[in-house]
Amino acid sequence: MSQRLKLEIKAMNAIAGEDLVVLVSDKLIPAPAAEEWLGEGGRSLIARAAAAERFKGKALSGLTILAPEGADYERLILVGVGPEGERDKLDFALLGGAIAGRLGHGRSADIIAALPGGDVSAAEIAEIGLGLRLRCYAFNQYKTKSRDAEQSEAKTAILRVADSSAVKKALKAREAIAGGVELARDLVNEPPNVLYPEEFAERAARLEKLGVEVEILDEKQLKKIGMRALLGVGQGSRRESRVVVMRWNGAGKGEQPVAFIGKGVTFDTGGISIKPAGGMEDMKGDMAGAACVTGLMHALAARKAKVNAVGVIGLVENMPDGNAQRPGDIVTSLSGQTIEIINTDAEGRLVLADVLWYTQDRFKPLFMVNLATLTGAILVALAQENAGLFSNNDELAERLFVAGKATGETVWRMPLGAAYDKMIDSKFADMKNSAGRHGGSITAAQFLQRHVNDTPWAHLDIAGTGMGSLSTEINRSWGSGWGVRLLDRLVADHYEA
Ligand code: MN
Ligand code: ZN
């Protein structure tokens, strides 16, 4: 990741940048605090330019105007915030992203953080800062021939605020979260020859700097524990499998932890049930769940969250070779239950089965949330707008739904039930790992549920949201880092002392 944004927080007593950013309502009225910097004729300049360009001050829309001669700035950038009466609908992170999209590379801009018709809180301005930063993320370290060098030059954003110490304080937690999202994006974007299980584990171990306890379990230890379902997936790869346990102890000793589990298939060929060639390169992102958990642990530790949290990720590479797992194989999972392999491409659930069982057994968590790019079928059901949510607990499901609405990382609850569960019964073993196309996301979730006891649990199927993601005001990256903000919010709203 390259840092393409220089963010400064300064008092509103001067402007120093080349460009001036002003927020305007649908009536094209700027905030009173901005008016003095616009200079004489500012309002009529805005009115004429807006009319010519049909700019209506719609939320997140923008217009760039060349400043008249003699102005203290070179360009005036207007960004709409919509009607004054609809403030509650305004997403300040997206607003920050929309502003960032209009800033010039290698240029500096004063952003007057004031709204027409109403105060803006330090927390809201901090969200703007978060949006600015997330929008400026770029993963370009493998591009040695940057065609236009200025594209890589940093943008300088000077947030002009009424109370800079309050904003700086509020921004601290947002920077921790941004760091977590960026880490998750980096991990997803990395090529699979660079990021394989051992390397992923090494990157997770870097969280020790933030005070996270990191434990790396190698194949010998995993064998001893009995994670045969997970090991079966990795056995066709030259790369060894790993399980990483990350612990952030931000609450009192003995406080029950919350737990997050991630699928980390660093590359998924499908194994012997090999995938078609077209688009297979995207399967480097089949570790987005593990990336999110790692990014979340970064965020929680960096902002010193008052919670005990455990992150456990299962890291394997699914390859076909002479030692690879076959369709028809029967493996015994850590739970003691036997699994008939129908399709070696339904490997994520085999990894998660062992990691879920291990986590609930060892840590007795308050709840478990797992994230996985688990099924293509979730894209058929929900497209890329929502992650699929499956849960055995209504309260946890509701909290995730609300946190999703608040962060824009939305989830939609899908059903679980006995009739679906029956679909994964096997002729030869306790269960089979694939039940065919119908209800493919649901039967995958049923499979996971067979490895969860009474612990409140939620499974997020992020195959549609974790990679190849929709372009938004705060994300232009292939690996979105989806879920870090959602789960950080879940923790902050309900589980911090
Ligand atoms: Mn697969
Ligand atoms: Zn997979």
Side-chain angles (χ1 to χ4, degrees), residues 278-291:
M280 203 204 271
E281 67 280 7
D282 285 353
M283 285 300 107
K284 73 173 183 175
D286 208 17
M287 32 54 73

Side-chain angles (χ1 to χ4, degrees), residues 4 13 44 53 79 113 180 236 253 262 287 307 317 384 398 402:
R4 297 197 307 170
N13 55 7
S44 87
E53 297 286 345
V79 177
K253 247 198 167 167
M287 32 54 73
V307 67
E317 186 182 52
Q384 294 189 281
E398 176 64 19
V402 172

Side-chain angles (χ1 to χ4, degrees), residues 147-295:
R147 227 170 282 164
D148 31 3
E150 69 262 27
Q151 286 289 309
S152 59
E153 281 181 57
K155 300 175 174 186
T156 301
I158 309 160
L159 269 172
R160 295 285 175 182
V161 304
D163 183 348
S164 52
S165 71
V167 171
K168 278 180 187 162
K169 201 168 153 228
L171 196 61
K172 269 216 156 134
R174 270 34 169 235
E175 280 180 335
I177 295 164
V181 174
E182 288 163 352
L183 171 59
R185 286 178 180 175
D186 278 350
L187 291 167
V188 177
N189 286 329
E190 281 285 10
N193 59 328
V194 172
L195 194 81
Y196 46 91
E198 280 172 272
E199 171 64 18
F200 195 136
E202 289 306 319
R203 303 248 181 139
R206 292 182 196 165
L207 295 185
E208 281 177 344
K209 269 189 250 148
L210 296 173
V212 178
E213 287 172 28
V214 181
E215 198 181 329
I216 299 173
L217 304 172
D218 64 17
E219 286 198 348
K220 214 172 126 204
Q221 290 162 293
L222 297 176
K223 235 170 249 165
K224 208 170 145 210
I225 292 166
M227 294 206 200
R228 292 181 202 86
L230 180 146
L231 288 167
V233 177
Q235 77 187 29
S237 169
R238 295 282 293 276
R239 305 292 193 185
E240 280 203 18
S241 303
R242 292 286 183 271
V243 168
V244 180
V245 179
M246 295 166 271
R247 268 182 290 180
W248 167 249
N249 301 311
K253 247 198 167 167
E255 286 285 328
Q256 219 180 343
V258 296
F260 302 95
I261 290 103
K263 167 185 173 182
V265 178
T266 59
F267 194 74
D268 183 13
T269 62
I272 295 300
S273 313
I274 198 163
K275 290 175 184 290
M280 203 204 271
E281 67 280 7
D282 285 353
M283 285 300 107
K284 73 173 183 175
D286 208 17
M287 32 54 73
C292 172
V293 170
T294 310

Side-chain angles (χ1 to χ4, degrees), residues 186-478:
D186 278 350
L187 291 167
V188 177
N189 286 329
E190 281 285 10
N193 59 328
V194 172
L195 194 81
Y196 46 91
E198 280 172 272
E199 171 64 18
F200 195 136
E202 289 306 319
R203 303 248 181 139
R206 292 182 196 165
L207 295 185
E208 281 177 344
K209 269 189 250 148
L210 296 173
V212 178
E213 287 172 28
V214 181
E215 198 181 329
I216 299 173
L217 304 172
D218 64 17
E219 286 198 348
K220 214 172 126 204
Q221 290 162 293
L222 297 176
K223 235 170 249 165
K224 208 170 145 210
I225 292 166
M227 294 206 200
R228 292 181 202 86
L230 180 146
L231 288 167
V233 177
Q235 77 187 29
S237 169
R238 295 282 293 276
R239 305 292 193 185
E240 280 203 18
S241 303
R242 292 286 183 271
V243 168
V244 180
V245 179
M246 295 166 271
R247 268 182 290 180
W248 167 249
N249 301 311
K253 247 198 167 167
E255 286 285 328
Q256 219 180 343
V258 296
F260 302 95
I261 290 103
K263 167 185 173 182
V265 178
T266 59
F267 194 74
D268 183 13
T269 62
I272 295 300
S273 313
I274 198 163
K275 290 175 184 290
M280 203 204 271
E281 67 280 7
D282 285 353
M283 285 300 107
K284 73 173 183 175
D286 208 17
M287 32 54 73
C292 172
V293 170
T294 310
L296 174 68
M297 296 306 290
H298 172 107
L300 294 176
R303 70 173 181 81
K304 300 202 172 5
K306 291 184 179 58
V307 67
N308 290 345
V310 184
V312 190
I313 53 178
L315 304 171
V316 300
E317 186 182 52
N318 188 20
M319 299 288 272
D321 93 338
N323 193 45
Q325 175 159 271
R326 291 156 290 257
D329 282 4
I330 293 177
V331 295
T332 305
S333 75
L334 180 58
S335 71
Q337 302 173 93
T338 56
I339 302 161
E340 181 190 7
I341 309 299
I342 301 294
N343 186 325
T344 64
D345 195 12
E347 84 298 337
R349 66 201 70 181
L350 298 168
V351 172
L352 289 171
D354 279 347
V355 178
L356 283 166
W357 190 268
Y358 179 74
T359 304
Q360 75 182 349
D361 203 44
R362 177 171 167 193
F363 298 107
K364 315 268 183 292
L366 214 49
F367 69 75
M368 296 194 286
V369 174
N370 76 256
L371 302 100
T373 47
L374 205 61
T375 66
I378 203 67
L379 278 135
V380 176
L382 300 173
Q384 294 189 281
E385 301 295 337
N386 288 285
L389 161 66
F390 301 82
S391 183
N392 64 3
N393 185 283
D394 291 342
E395 185 184 62
L396 179 59
E398 176 64 19
R399 287 175 173 183
L400 281 163
F401 181 79
V402 172
K405 284 278 177 207
T407 55
E409 295 183 337
T410 55
V411 298
W412 193 258
R413 194 168 182 183
M414 303 279 288
L416 290 165
Y420 292 116
D421 184 70
K422 216 167 143 5
M423 289 169 73
I424 58 168
D425 285 342
S426 152
K427 239 185 301 177
F428 297 106
D430 296 333
M431 70 194 84
K432 55 187 178 184
N433 80 328
S434 175
R437 283 164 48 80
H438 290 181
S441 299
I442 306 172
T443 52
Q446 294 293 163
F447 184 97
L448 299 183
Q449 196 179 12
R450 287 201 190 190
H451 297 85
V452 174
N453 290 327
D454 297 331
T455 306
W457 156 78
H459 153 53
L460 300 175
D461 193 334
I462 61 168
T465 55
M467 57 176 166
S469 319
L470 296 175
S471 165
T472 71
E473 294 291 359
I474 54 171
N475 182 48
R476 297 295 156 111
S477 163
W478 185 81

